[in-house]
Every structure is written in C-alpha cells, then in structure tokens.
Amino acid sequence: MVLSTEPAVAGPSPIHPDFADTAILAQLPNVRVDTAQPPSSPEALARQVRDYIQQARSTGDPRFIGYAEGILSPWPENRMTDELRVLRATLYQSQHKFDKARTDLRPVIQQGHGPQRLQALLTLANVQTVQGRYDQARTACQQLQQAMPGLIAQSCLALVDARTGQASEAYEKLLAGYRQARGAATAEQLWALGTLGDLAAQLDNDKAEQYWREVLLSNPDDLYIRAELADWYLQHHRAQPVLALTRGYEKVDSLAVLRAIAMRRLDHPDAASLVQRLRERFSEARWRGSMLHKRDYARFQLHVENNPELALEFALANWKTQREPPDTRLLLLAARDAGQTERSRPVRQWLARHHQTDARYPGDTP
C-alpha cells in the first residue's frame, strides 16, 4: 500500500542568480550528433534511440536523453512499435515522468510478446519499486518470472521482498540462486550482484562492497553502482576510496556531490573549487527550472553547504516521486538535522506499513 498523505512541500522560492546573463557557467564537452537524416524506419529509429540512452547511462550526460527524445517525439503515434514504446517509457523514466512511462508500458505488457514484453515488465517493475508501489512491483516481477525464469526475475522479487520486511530472507534466497546459476549470462550475473550489494547494505553486511566492486570490475560505466558504492563508503566514514571512485566523473551530478563531500571531510585542497562549480551548476539548473535530480541538490545542501532546512525541502519534494532507500535516508537525516522530525513522521509511518527497515536509516539497527 502506498502512503496516501504526502508530506507538505513548500513551493520553490524565486531564484535570484548570482551570475550575469552572459556568464559561462560550465564548459560542456563536444558531442557529435548525427542529425543529417532522421531515421526512416522504426528499426533504425530504435537503434539510434537505444544508442543515445546507452551513452547517457555510461557518461551521465543528460543531453543524450534530449537527443533521443528529439528524434523520437516527431514519430507518428500510429507507427509506434512495441520496441519504440518501451524505449520512450525508458526516456520518461529517466525524466521522472513515471505516469507516462507506465502508460507506454502497459499495452506492451498486455498485448505484446517476446523480448519487448519482457523488457516492459522489467522496466515497469523498476518504476513501481522506485516509487514504493511494492504490490504492483511484485506483480510485474512475478509476471517476469513466469515468462523468463532466472537471475533477473529473482533479483526483481528479492528487491521487493527486502523492501517489505523480508530483507534477510531475500538476501539469502538470491545469494543461493546466484551461486546455482554460474552459467547464466554475464548481464544476469551482474544484475544479481548489484542487487545483492543493495540488500547487503540494507542489512549492514560489509559484503556490499565486494558485490559492487565485482560489478564495476566488469562494467566500469555503471554509474548507478558507482554512486551506490561511493555513498556506502561515506556512510562508513571512508572518504579516501570515494576520491578514486569519482575521479573523472565530476560532470555527473551524483558522483560530483559525493566527491565534494569526501573532499570536505579530507580537507582536500581542491574541495573549494569543486564546491564552487557545483554551486554554479545547481544555481543554473534552478534558474532554468531544470532541477531534475532533487536528491543530489538536497545531499549537497545537507552535507556540503550545511543547510539542513533547504535540504529538507528538496528531500521532501524528491520523496513524493522517488522512494528508494537513499531518498528516504536523506529525508530522515535532513529532518533530524533541521530539528523538524515531525515533518518526517508520514515517512516513518509509510516505512512501518511496509515493515521496511534499513541499517542506512538513522535510528534503524541491522
């Protein structure tokens, strides 16, 4: 059951940028985009959209999402294929337009078949889990398991079980499944390892580091796992490894903020420079009204700027649509540090309804 009473969130205050209209806030890298001829077939369009999505995931550059949307949006609705609908849902998910993502995925699940239906089920399960809609997520995971038994479906169910009071059981069951599936495809094994890392962190099991390290060894461009591991190091007061993990990723907001936190804790000589660049980046995003990743800004305000009140406002706004453990933890920490724990009471009630405990949450124990 999803909490029906959302925490109240104050409206955004007027933005007064501290930079001139002509100021250059950041030097973006050159990106080559093929705009000579738009794709003429759904298959060619799908290939190009998929390529842009992959580049966005591996580089953290959101412009690739814009490029993908730019070539997909003019495509006639009556020529949309299942593959294009799944890809469009993926774009919507990355833009936090979760309702639109669900709208695209449902007809593929209900009427489609083959790989696209499987991908639609997995994407829908992920969307529902991110938003804390665990009953719906479990249904999608079960449908995926019926259609394609294996490590990905097992990981899907394990994550939902862990978020609803069965973390230890989910971890042990998935670990057993992983050990029994050594012949599974590499992508499946990496998916399971990433999930095992998440569950281990929830249980305060130090093996989280090992699992996430194994994923990054095979796929260094997995920015989500890279950020998860960096955050885990910071939670365990190990700032030094964060510098190595985030080196070269300063253009990715989530990793840049984690790097800034680590640098501050280590009194690194380059901390002030990175913090200033992040201030300018976030100021420009708020000025443009494009503050998509509220979690990163809330974390920056809480752990770098020492402004828990502002951090709480953005953490509450973020939690309205995203309820992963890092989102919940950030909100609880901000409410505590701001001396406004009453504003986190609906979140605590929601956690209790789902029997969700997590060693990463303040006040929770393994």
Side-chain angles (χ1 to χ4, degrees), residues 103-117:
T103 298
D104 265 344
L105 293 170
R106 281 173 179 145
V108 181
I109 292 170
Q110 293 167 1
Q111 304 165 19
H113 56 84
Q116 297 311 318
R117 183 173 182 270

Side-chain angles (χ1 to χ4, degrees), residues 332-355:
L332 296 174
L333 286 173
R336 183 196 67 185
D337 292 357
Q340 300 180 38
T341 54
E342 72 282 354
R343 299 187 69 187
S344 66
R345 188 173 298 119
V347 179
R348 289 286 188 187
Q349 292 171 347
W350 181 83
L351 291 171
R353 288 178 188 176
H354 291 291
H355 308 288

Side-chain angles (χ1 to χ4, degrees), residues 27-301:
Q27 188 69 41
L28 295 173
N30 291 324
V31 177
R32 294 178 64 104
V33 181
D34 183 10
T35 58
Q37 184 68 34
S40 58
S41 70
E43 295 80 12
L45 177 60
R47 283 194 298 272
Q48 194 163 345
V49 170
R50 196 182 306 109
D51 182 59
Y52 284 145
I53 291 173
Q54 183 55 43
Q55 290 184 73
R57 287 174 173 169
S58 63
T59 66
D61 190 337
R63 289 177 298 166
F64 287 111
I65 297 298
Y67 303 148
E69 186 178 35
I71 63 170
L72 183 56
S73 58
W75 193 258
E77 195 65 29
N78 61 5
R79 295 187 63 196
M80 290 292 290
T81 62
D82 285 351
E83 184 176 20
L84 290 175
R85 285 192 178 90
V86 172
L87 288 169
R88 186 167 65 181
T90 302
L91 293 175
Y92 284 144
Q93 179 189 7
S94 69
Q95 297 166 326
H96 301 178
K97 298 176 181 178
F98 299 115
D99 288 339
K100 288 187 175 183
R102 277 186 282 265
T103 298
D104 265 344
L105 293 170
R106 281 173 179 145
V108 181
I109 292 170
Q110 293 167 1
Q111 304 165 19
H113 56 84
Q116 297 311 318
R117 183 173 182 270
L118 297 176
Q119 184 61 54
L121 282 168
L122 182 58
T123 304
L124 180 62
N126 185 54
V127 166
Q128 306 289 37
T129 303
V130 165
Q131 292 209 283
R133 302 182 177 192
Y134 299 122
D135 288 342
Q136 297 93 323
R138 181 175 281 107
T139 297
C141 293
Q142 289 170 341
Q143 289 179 288
L144 182 64
Q145 186 179 48
Q146 291 170 3
M148 188 183 71
L151 282 178
I152 291 180
Q154 291 174 42
S155 300
C156 186
L157 284 167
L159 201 59
V160 176
D161 288 342
R163 301 291 189 258
T164 52
Q166 304 174 65
S168 294
E169 297 89 338
Y171 172 76
E172 294 298 336
K173 187 175 180 179
L174 181 58
L175 181 59
Y178 172 74
R179 288 171 173 168
Q180 294 167 8
R182 291 299 186 180
T186 300
E188 292 189 50
Q189 293 190 43
L190 293 178
W191 194 288
L193 282 170
T195 305
L196 284 169
D198 192 326
L199 304 191
Q202 183 176 345
L203 293 165
D204 200 27
N205 183 334
D206 287 346
K207 286 201 171 182
E209 177 184 11
Q210 172 190 327
Y211 297 134
W212 284 331
R213 282 285 183 190
E214 286 188 51
V215 174
L216 292 177
L217 189 63
S218 295
N219 184 14
D221 289 334
D222 191 326
L223 303 184
Y224 180 82
I225 295 296
R226 189 172 288 274
E228 287 284 282
L229 180 56
D231 192 22
W232 185 85
Y233 279 136
L234 289 175
Q235 291 170 36
H236 288 76
H237 311 289
R238 296 171 61 186
Q240 193 64 46
V242 176
L243 297 187
L245 265 180
T246 58
R247 185 177 298 116
Y249 292 92
E250 290 86 348
K251 290 182 175 65
V252 181
D253 285 350
S254 58
L255 293 168
V257 170
L258 293 166
R259 183 173 182 81
I261 296 169
M263 283 182 161
R264 276 285 181 86
R265 292 184 182 179
L266 295 168
D267 292 324
H268 195 283
D270 295 334
S273 175
L274 177 57
V275 168
Q276 184 56 33
R277 293 200 302 274
L278 283 168
R279 285 176 184 147
E280 293 170 351
R281 191 184 304 178
F282 285 130
S283 293
E284 191 266 351
R286 292 189 66 189
W287 177 62
R288 291 183 182 276
S290 59
M291 183 61 72
L292 182 61
H293 299 291
K294 297 180 179 70
R295 181 204 294 177
D296 299 329
Y297 188 63
R299 178 180 275 158
F300 180 73
Q301 289 298 324

